Short mmCIF file of all heavy atoms in Angstrom, two decimals:
data_model
loop_
_atom_site.label_atom_id
_atom_site.label_comp_id
_atom_site.label_asym_id
_atom_site.label_seq_id
_atom_site.Cartn_x
_atom_site.Cartn_y
_atom_site.Cartn_z
N VAL C 1 17.14 20.16 13.43
CA VAL C 1 17.65 19.38 12.30
C VAL C 1 18.92 18.64 12.70
O VAL C 1 19.63 19.03 13.63
CB VAL C 1 17.97 20.29 11.08
CG1 VAL C 1 16.73 21.02 10.60
CG2 VAL C 1 19.09 21.27 11.41
N VAL C 2 19.20 17.57 11.97
CA VAL C 2 20.49 16.88 12.05
C VAL C 2 21.28 17.27 10.82
O VAL C 2 20.80 17.10 9.68
CB VAL C 2 20.31 15.34 12.10
CG1 VAL C 2 21.66 14.64 11.93
CG2 VAL C 2 19.67 14.92 13.42
N LYS C 3 22.47 17.80 11.04
CA LYS C 3 23.28 18.25 9.90
C LYS C 3 24.26 17.18 9.42
O LYS C 3 24.71 17.20 8.29
CB LYS C 3 24.02 19.53 10.28
CG LYS C 3 23.04 20.67 10.58
CD LYS C 3 23.73 21.90 11.10
CE LYS C 3 22.68 22.97 11.45
NZ LYS C 3 23.27 24.19 12.02
N LYS C 4 24.54 16.22 10.31
CA LYS C 4 25.43 15.11 9.93
C LYS C 4 25.07 13.90 10.77
O LYS C 4 24.99 13.99 12.00
CB LYS C 4 26.90 15.49 10.14
CG LYS C 4 27.88 14.41 9.71
CD LYS C 4 29.31 14.85 9.94
CE LYS C 4 30.28 13.75 9.50
NZ LYS C 4 31.69 14.14 9.76
N PHE C 5 24.88 12.78 10.12
CA PHE C 5 24.58 11.54 10.83
C PHE C 5 25.86 10.85 11.30
O PHE C 5 26.95 11.15 10.79
CB PHE C 5 23.81 10.58 9.91
CG PHE C 5 22.37 10.94 9.72
CD1 PHE C 5 21.86 11.17 8.46
CD2 PHE C 5 21.51 11.03 10.80
CE1 PHE C 5 20.53 11.49 8.27
CE2 PHE C 5 20.17 11.35 10.63
CZ PHE C 5 19.68 11.57 9.37
N PRO C 6 25.73 9.91 12.23
CA PRO C 6 26.90 9.08 12.59
C PRO C 6 27.43 8.36 11.36
O PRO C 6 26.72 8.20 10.35
CB PRO C 6 26.31 8.09 13.60
CG PRO C 6 25.11 8.76 14.18
CD PRO C 6 24.55 9.60 13.05
N SER C 7 28.65 7.90 11.44
CA SER C 7 29.33 7.25 10.32
C SER C 7 28.45 6.18 9.67
O SER C 7 27.86 5.35 10.36
CB SER C 7 30.63 6.61 10.82
OG SER C 7 31.27 5.91 9.79
N ASN C 8 28.36 6.21 8.37
CA ASN C 8 27.66 5.30 7.46
C ASN C 8 26.13 5.34 7.55
O ASN C 8 25.45 4.56 6.91
CB ASN C 8 28.19 3.86 7.57
CG ASN C 8 27.63 3.06 8.75
OD1 ASN C 8 26.81 3.53 9.54
ND2 ASN C 8 28.07 1.82 8.87
N TYR C 9 25.57 6.22 8.37
CA TYR C 9 24.11 6.39 8.39
C TYR C 9 23.70 7.28 7.22
O TYR C 9 24.35 8.28 6.93
CB TYR C 9 23.65 7.08 9.68
CG TYR C 9 23.62 6.23 10.92
CD1 TYR C 9 24.43 5.12 11.09
CD2 TYR C 9 22.74 6.56 11.97
CE1 TYR C 9 24.39 4.37 12.25
CE2 TYR C 9 22.70 5.81 13.13
CZ TYR C 9 23.53 4.72 13.28
OH TYR C 9 23.49 3.98 14.43
N GLN C 10 22.60 6.93 6.59
CA GLN C 10 22.04 7.75 5.52
C GLN C 10 20.70 8.36 5.91
O GLN C 10 20.19 9.22 5.19
CB GLN C 10 21.86 6.90 4.25
CG GLN C 10 23.13 6.25 3.73
CD GLN C 10 24.18 7.28 3.34
OE1 GLN C 10 23.85 8.28 2.71
NE2 GLN C 10 25.42 7.04 3.73
N TRP C 11 20.12 7.95 7.03
CA TRP C 11 18.81 8.40 7.44
C TRP C 11 18.68 8.19 8.96
O TRP C 11 19.47 7.49 9.58
CB TRP C 11 17.69 7.64 6.71
CG TRP C 11 17.91 6.15 6.63
CD1 TRP C 11 18.50 5.46 5.62
CD2 TRP C 11 17.58 5.17 7.64
NE1 TRP C 11 18.56 4.12 5.92
CE2 TRP C 11 17.99 3.91 7.15
CE3 TRP C 11 16.97 5.23 8.89
CZ2 TRP C 11 17.82 2.73 7.88
CZ3 TRP C 11 16.79 4.07 9.62
CH2 TRP C 11 17.21 2.82 9.10
N GLY C 12 17.65 8.82 9.51
CA GLY C 12 17.37 8.65 10.93
C GLY C 12 15.89 8.38 11.15
O GLY C 12 15.07 8.56 10.24
N ILE C 13 15.55 7.94 12.35
CA ILE C 13 14.16 7.73 12.76
C ILE C 13 13.87 8.70 13.91
O ILE C 13 14.58 8.69 14.94
CB ILE C 13 13.91 6.29 13.23
CG1 ILE C 13 14.25 5.29 12.13
CG2 ILE C 13 12.47 6.12 13.70
CD1 ILE C 13 13.32 5.31 10.94
N PHE C 14 12.83 9.50 13.77
CA PHE C 14 12.51 10.50 14.77
C PHE C 14 11.78 9.87 15.96
O PHE C 14 10.82 9.12 15.80
CB PHE C 14 11.65 11.60 14.15
CG PHE C 14 11.26 12.70 15.11
CD1 PHE C 14 12.22 13.34 15.87
CD2 PHE C 14 9.93 13.10 15.24
CE1 PHE C 14 11.88 14.35 16.76
CE2 PHE C 14 9.58 14.12 16.11
CZ PHE C 14 10.56 14.74 16.88
N ALA C 15 12.23 10.21 17.17
CA ALA C 15 11.59 9.76 18.41
C ALA C 15 11.88 10.77 19.51
O ALA C 15 12.76 11.61 19.39
CB ALA C 15 12.09 8.37 18.80
N GLY C 16 11.11 10.67 20.59
CA GLY C 16 11.29 11.57 21.73
C GLY C 16 10.28 12.68 21.80
O GLY C 16 10.28 13.48 22.74
N LEU C 17 9.40 12.76 20.81
CA LEU C 17 8.42 13.85 20.75
C LEU C 17 7.48 13.82 21.96
O LEU C 17 7.08 14.88 22.45
CB LEU C 17 7.60 13.75 19.45
CG LEU C 17 6.46 14.75 19.27
CD1 LEU C 17 6.99 16.19 19.24
CD2 LEU C 17 5.67 14.44 18.00
N ASP C 18 7.12 12.63 22.42
CA ASP C 18 6.17 12.55 23.54
C ASP C 18 6.68 13.29 24.76
O ASP C 18 5.93 14.01 25.43
CB ASP C 18 5.89 11.08 23.89
CG ASP C 18 7.11 10.36 24.45
OD1 ASP C 18 8.22 10.57 23.92
OD2 ASP C 18 6.94 9.58 25.41
N GLU C 19 7.97 13.17 25.05
CA GLU C 19 8.52 13.84 26.23
C GLU C 19 8.71 15.34 26.00
O GLU C 19 8.60 16.14 26.93
CB GLU C 19 9.83 13.17 26.63
CG GLU C 19 9.62 11.77 27.19
CD GLU C 19 10.89 11.16 27.74
OE1 GLU C 19 11.86 11.00 26.96
OE2 GLU C 19 10.92 10.84 28.94
N VAL C 20 8.99 15.71 24.75
CA VAL C 20 9.07 17.15 24.44
C VAL C 20 7.72 17.81 24.69
O VAL C 20 7.64 18.89 25.30
CB VAL C 20 9.51 17.37 22.97
CG1 VAL C 20 9.39 18.85 22.60
CG2 VAL C 20 10.94 16.90 22.76
N LEU C 21 6.66 17.17 24.26
CA LEU C 21 5.32 17.73 24.46
C LEU C 21 4.97 17.79 25.95
O LEU C 21 4.32 18.74 26.40
CB LEU C 21 4.28 16.91 23.70
CG LEU C 21 4.42 16.93 22.17
CD1 LEU C 21 3.37 16.04 21.53
CD2 LEU C 21 4.33 18.35 21.63
N THR C 22 5.41 16.80 26.71
CA THR C 22 5.21 16.84 28.17
C THR C 22 5.95 18.01 28.78
O THR C 22 5.43 18.73 29.64
CB THR C 22 5.69 15.53 28.80
OG1 THR C 22 4.90 14.45 28.30
CG2 THR C 22 5.56 15.57 30.33
N LEU C 23 7.18 18.23 28.32
CA LEU C 23 8.00 19.31 28.85
C LEU C 23 7.39 20.68 28.55
O LEU C 23 7.40 21.58 29.40
CB LEU C 23 9.40 19.23 28.24
CG LEU C 23 10.41 20.30 28.64
CD1 LEU C 23 10.71 20.24 30.14
CD2 LEU C 23 11.70 20.15 27.84
N LEU C 24 6.85 20.84 27.37
CA LEU C 24 6.34 22.15 26.94
C LEU C 24 4.86 22.35 27.24
O LEU C 24 4.31 23.42 26.94
CB LEU C 24 6.58 22.33 25.44
CG LEU C 24 8.04 22.30 24.97
CD1 LEU C 24 8.13 22.45 23.47
CD2 LEU C 24 8.87 23.37 25.67
N GLU C 25 4.23 21.38 27.83
CA GLU C 25 2.80 21.45 28.12
C GLU C 25 2.47 22.70 28.95
O GLU C 25 3.12 22.98 29.96
CB GLU C 25 2.35 20.20 28.87
CG GLU C 25 0.85 20.12 29.08
CD GLU C 25 0.45 18.82 29.77
OE1 GLU C 25 1.34 18.07 30.22
OE2 GLU C 25 -0.76 18.55 29.85
N GLY C 26 1.49 23.43 28.50
CA GLY C 26 1.06 24.62 29.23
C GLY C 26 1.76 25.90 28.84
O GLY C 26 1.37 26.98 29.28
N LEU C 27 2.80 25.80 28.00
CA LEU C 27 3.51 27.01 27.57
C LEU C 27 2.84 27.60 26.33
O LEU C 27 2.28 26.87 25.51
CB LEU C 27 4.97 26.68 27.25
CG LEU C 27 5.84 26.19 28.40
CD1 LEU C 27 7.26 25.93 27.90
CD2 LEU C 27 5.86 27.19 29.55
N PRO C 28 2.91 28.92 26.15
CA PRO C 28 2.28 29.57 24.99
C PRO C 28 3.15 29.46 23.75
O PRO C 28 3.62 30.46 23.18
CB PRO C 28 2.14 31.02 25.45
CG PRO C 28 3.28 31.22 26.39
CD PRO C 28 3.47 29.91 27.11
N VAL C 29 3.40 28.22 23.32
CA VAL C 29 4.21 27.98 22.13
C VAL C 29 3.46 27.03 21.21
O VAL C 29 2.57 26.29 21.64
CB VAL C 29 5.59 27.37 22.48
CG1 VAL C 29 6.41 28.33 23.35
CG2 VAL C 29 5.44 26.02 23.18
N THR C 30 3.84 27.04 19.95
CA THR C 30 3.27 26.13 18.95
C THR C 30 4.33 25.15 18.51
O THR C 30 5.42 25.55 18.08
CB THR C 30 2.76 26.92 17.73
OG1 THR C 30 1.75 27.83 18.15
CG2 THR C 30 2.18 25.97 16.68
N VAL C 31 4.03 23.85 18.64
CA VAL C 31 4.97 22.80 18.25
C VAL C 31 4.39 22.07 17.04
O VAL C 31 3.24 21.62 17.06
CB VAL C 31 5.21 21.81 19.39
CG1 VAL C 31 6.20 20.72 18.95
CG2 VAL C 31 5.73 22.53 20.63
N LYS C 32 5.19 21.97 16.00
CA LYS C 32 4.83 21.15 14.84
C LYS C 32 5.95 20.14 14.63
O LYS C 32 7.13 20.49 14.71
CB LYS C 32 4.66 22.02 13.59
CG LYS C 32 3.52 23.02 13.68
CD LYS C 32 3.42 23.86 12.41
CE LYS C 32 2.29 24.89 12.52
NZ LYS C 32 2.22 25.74 11.30
N ALA C 33 5.59 18.88 14.38
CA ALA C 33 6.62 17.85 14.27
C ALA C 33 6.18 16.71 13.39
O ALA C 33 4.98 16.47 13.18
CB ALA C 33 6.96 17.32 15.67
N MET C 34 7.17 15.99 12.87
CA MET C 34 6.91 14.72 12.21
C MET C 34 6.34 13.74 13.24
O MET C 34 6.69 13.82 14.43
CB MET C 34 8.22 14.11 11.68
CG MET C 34 8.89 14.88 10.59
SD MET C 34 10.45 14.04 10.16
CE MET C 34 10.94 15.02 8.73
N PRO C 35 5.53 12.79 12.83
CA PRO C 35 5.14 11.73 13.75
C PRO C 35 6.37 10.92 14.16
O PRO C 35 7.30 10.74 13.36
CB PRO C 35 4.17 10.87 12.93
CG PRO C 35 3.72 11.74 11.81
CD PRO C 35 4.87 12.66 11.52
N GLU C 36 6.39 10.45 15.39
CA GLU C 36 7.48 9.58 15.80
C GLU C 36 7.50 8.33 14.92
O GLU C 36 6.46 7.81 14.53
CB GLU C 36 7.32 9.18 17.26
CG GLU C 36 7.56 10.34 18.21
CD GLU C 36 7.46 9.91 19.66
OE1 GLU C 36 6.34 9.53 20.09
OE2 GLU C 36 8.48 9.94 20.36
N GLY C 37 8.70 7.87 14.60
CA GLY C 37 8.84 6.73 13.70
C GLY C 37 9.07 7.12 12.26
O GLY C 37 9.29 6.26 11.40
N THR C 38 9.02 8.44 11.97
CA THR C 38 9.23 8.92 10.60
C THR C 38 10.70 8.87 10.22
O THR C 38 11.58 9.21 11.02
CB THR C 38 8.71 10.37 10.46
OG1 THR C 38 7.32 10.40 10.77
CG2 THR C 38 8.92 10.88 9.05
N VAL C 39 10.98 8.45 9.00
CA VAL C 39 12.34 8.48 8.46
C VAL C 39 12.65 9.90 7.97
O VAL C 39 11.83 10.53 7.32
CB VAL C 39 12.48 7.49 7.28
CG1 VAL C 39 13.89 7.56 6.69
CG2 VAL C 39 12.14 6.08 7.72
N PHE C 40 13.83 10.40 8.31
CA PHE C 40 14.22 11.74 7.86
C PHE C 40 15.68 11.75 7.43
O PHE C 40 16.46 10.85 7.78
CB PHE C 40 13.97 12.77 8.96
CG PHE C 40 14.86 12.61 10.17
CD1 PHE C 40 16.07 13.30 10.28
CD2 PHE C 40 14.49 11.77 11.22
CE1 PHE C 40 16.89 13.15 11.38
CE2 PHE C 40 15.31 11.62 12.33
CZ PHE C 40 16.50 12.30 12.42
N LYS C 41 16.05 12.77 6.68
CA LYS C 41 17.41 12.92 6.16
C LYS C 41 18.08 14.15 6.81
O LYS C 41 17.45 14.89 7.56
CB LYS C 41 17.37 13.09 4.64
CG LYS C 41 16.73 11.93 3.88
CD LYS C 41 17.57 10.69 3.95
CE LYS C 41 16.99 9.56 3.10
NZ LYS C 41 17.11 9.82 1.66
N THR C 42 19.33 14.36 6.49
CA THR C 42 20.05 15.52 7.03
C THR C 42 19.40 16.82 6.56
O THR C 42 18.86 16.90 5.46
CB THR C 42 21.52 15.52 6.59
OG1 THR C 42 21.59 15.41 5.17
CG2 THR C 42 22.29 14.38 7.23
N ASN C 43 19.47 17.83 7.42
CA ASN C 43 18.95 19.17 7.16
C ASN C 43 17.44 19.21 6.92
O ASN C 43 16.92 20.22 6.43
CB ASN C 43 19.69 19.81 5.97
CG ASN C 43 21.17 19.97 6.26
OD1 ASN C 43 21.55 20.55 7.27
ND2 ASN C 43 22.01 19.44 5.38
#
């Protein structure tokens, strides 16, 4: 989660998931995530 955005931001856009999945590929973990490009708020 993001608990505080940079000054005057009210929302963020999620990205970077593709590389996270590459990093965790083959590990016995479950990843659930918003699609990249999704708008999200703090917390």
Side-chain angles (χ1 to χ4, degrees):
V1 300
V2 170
K3 297 174 183 177
K4 183 180 180 182
F5 284 122
S7 176
N8 81 1
Y9 283 26
Q10 302 298 316
W11 45 266
I13 302 291
F14 180 51
L17 176 62
D18 67 319
E19 291 187 299
V20 172
L21 295 178
T22 297
L23 178 63
L24 299 179
E25 186 177 8
L27 296 181
V29 298
T30 300
V31 180
K32 296 179 182 178
M34 295 177 173
E36 290 182 293
T38 300
V39 178
F40 67 92
K41 301 291 185 70
T42 54
N43 298 307

